């Protein structure tokens, strides 16, 4: 799944040998990468089932509320969390209480500048993209504004494209995505296709993503604060 892999590549220098708190770790997809380089990792997860599964699978400390946290962290990570929060500004302000001196907050959110929404304007895709569980939608500028208004300083905000060129072609011509995120974030071609064509499509994919990101068009926004 290239979503978490790409996020990890960007945030790696900021979390190496750090004490980290991840809020809303879900199934531990980010921790899969973080565990290799962080000094210490703890999490906050309000879902009882997810919390128990994480503790059992990884043997890590997972809190069920902020009230249980009595320490400060070098880095707090929010992956696909802020769009579910009723008041993002107040939520980010609250996090400062749990940050050490010169601590950082790393935020990832789905971007409304997703090419299938903002550029290709596919109405059938929009019906799946816009969901009730997402209380807010961000782009490069609005995420920056929320961070600044919360009292945090923006170090860097990046637009990233994690879904593949073939995923977009599938949505455009077949009006559907792939079966899972692994297929959707990688080049997905017939298994019997000549390797020369696979190399060509891989090169197209790299160029395609690079051009989108250069123009702040992508499916996620990533902020280092």
């Amino acid at each position: 799944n290239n979503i978490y892999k790409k996020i990890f590549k960007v945030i790696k220098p900021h979390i190496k040998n750090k004490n980290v708190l991840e809020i809303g770790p879900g199934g531990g997809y980010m921790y899969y990468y973080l565990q290799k380089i962080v000094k210490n990792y703890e999490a906050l997860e309000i879902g009882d089932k997810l919390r128990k599964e994480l503790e059992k699978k990884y043997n890590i400390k997972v809190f069920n509320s902020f009230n249980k946290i009595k320490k400060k962290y070098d880095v707090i990570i929010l992956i696909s969390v802020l769009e579910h929060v009723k008041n993002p500004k107040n939520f980010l302000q609250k996090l400062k209480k749990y940050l050490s001196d010169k601590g950082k907050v790393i935020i990832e959110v789905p971007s409304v500048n997703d090419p299938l929404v903002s550029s290709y304007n596919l109405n059938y895709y929009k019906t799946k993209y816009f969901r009730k569980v997402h209380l807010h939608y961000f782009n490069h500028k609005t995420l920056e504004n929320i961070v600044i208004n919360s009292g945090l300083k923006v170090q860097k905000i990046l637009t990233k494209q994690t879904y593949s060129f073939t995923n977009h072609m599938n949505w455009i011509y077949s009006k559907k995505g792939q079966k899972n995120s692994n297929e959707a974030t990688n080049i997905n071609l017939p298994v019997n296709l000549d390797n020369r064509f696979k190399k060509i499509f891989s090169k197209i994919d790299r160029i395609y993503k690079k051009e989108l990101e250069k123009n702040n068009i992508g499916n996620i926004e990533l902020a280092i604060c």
Side-chain angles (χ1 to χ4, degrees):
N1 186 328
N2 283 335
I3 295 176
Y4 294 94
K5 190 175 181 180
K6 199 157 193 174
I7 294 171
F8 176 72
K9 186 176 180 180
V10 173
I11 71 174
K12 186 178 178 180
H14 304 281
I15 60 174
K16 191 172 183 179
N17 298 323
K18 302 293 185 182
N19 292 312
V20 173
L21 173 70
E22 183 176 8
I23 298 175
Y29 309 116
M30 198 70 238
Y31 179 67
Y32 173 81
Y33 296 99
L34 299 179
Q35 63 181 319
K36 303 170 186 177
I37 66 167
V38 298
K39 182 178 180 181
N40 183 57
Y41 174 95
E42 293 175 341
L44 170 63
E45 174 57 62
I46 61 173
D48 291 336
K49 184 178 178 181
L50 282 172
R51 187 172 60 256
K52 291 173 182 177
E53 288 176 352
L54 283 167
E55 289 176 330
K56 182 179 179 181
K57 183 177 180 180
Y58 290 113
N59 191 29
I60 54 178
K61 178 65 178 177
V62 186
F63 300 100
N64 63 3
S65 76
F66 278 109
N67 295 332
K68 300 289 180 64
I69 302 175
K70 306 298 180 184
K71 59 188 287 189
K72 296 189 176 185
Y73 300 86
D74 302 317
V75 183
I76 296 177
I77 297 176
L78 308 170
I79 305 296
S80 296
V81 169
L82 204 61
E83 67 271 21
H84 299 277
V85 176
K86 287 184 179 180
N87 192 320
K89 175 185 171 182
N90 288 354
F91 188 79
L92 292 177
Q93 286 175 331
K94 185 177 184 178
L95 295 186
K96 290 188 284 186
K97 176 182 175 181
Y98 304 96
L99 276 179
S100 61
D101 292 341
K102 298 183 181 180
K104 294 182 181 180
V105 179
I106 294 174
I107 306 165
E108 180 275 331
V109 291
S111 178
V112 78
N113 282 355
D114 182 322
L116 297 177
V117 175
S118 65
S119 301
Y120 296 119
N121 196 27
L122 305 178
N123 287 326
Y124 52 85
Y125 177 81
K126 289 181 181 180
T127 61
K128 298 179 184 295
Y129 178 84
F130 292 105
R131 295 178 285 162
K132 288 183 178 180
V133 294
H134 290 170
L135 306 181
H136 306 278
Y137 287 88
F138 300 93
N139 61 21
H140 194 93
K141 188 62 180 177
T142 57
L143 179 59
E144 182 180 33
N145 288 341
I146 284 289
V147 170
I148 292 172
N149 288 330
S150 72
L152 292 169
K153 294 180 180 179
V154 177
Q155 181 175 342
K156 182 188 297 184
I157 294 185
L158 302 169
T159 302
K160 290 292 180 182
Q161 177 61 37
T162 61
Y163 288 101
S164 68
F165 173 75
T166 52
N167 173 259
H168 282 187
M169 294 302 101
N170 216 52
W171 274 109
I172 292 168
Y173 295 108
S174 300
K175 298 186 178 182
K176 62 181 182 180
Q178 272 78 34
K179 291 182 292 185
N180 54 59
S181 56
N182 184 56
E183 288 188 4
T185 58
N186 290 287
I187 289 294
N188 189 33
L189 299 167
V191 292
N192 59 346
L193 193 68
D194 190 301
N195 281 333
R196 289 175 295 178
F197 285 102
K198 291 180 180 179
K199 289 180 179 179
I200 291 170
F201 271 91
S202 293
K203 186 174 183 179
I204 291 171
D205 185 59
R206 289 193 299 272
I207 296 170
Y208 180 66
K209 289 174 180 175
K210 186 176 180 180
E211 286 300 310
L212 288 173
E213 292 171 356
K214 188 168 71 174
N215 290 282
N216 288 337
I217 302 172
N219 63 288
I220 66 172
E221 302 291 344
L222 187 56
I224 313 292
C225 316

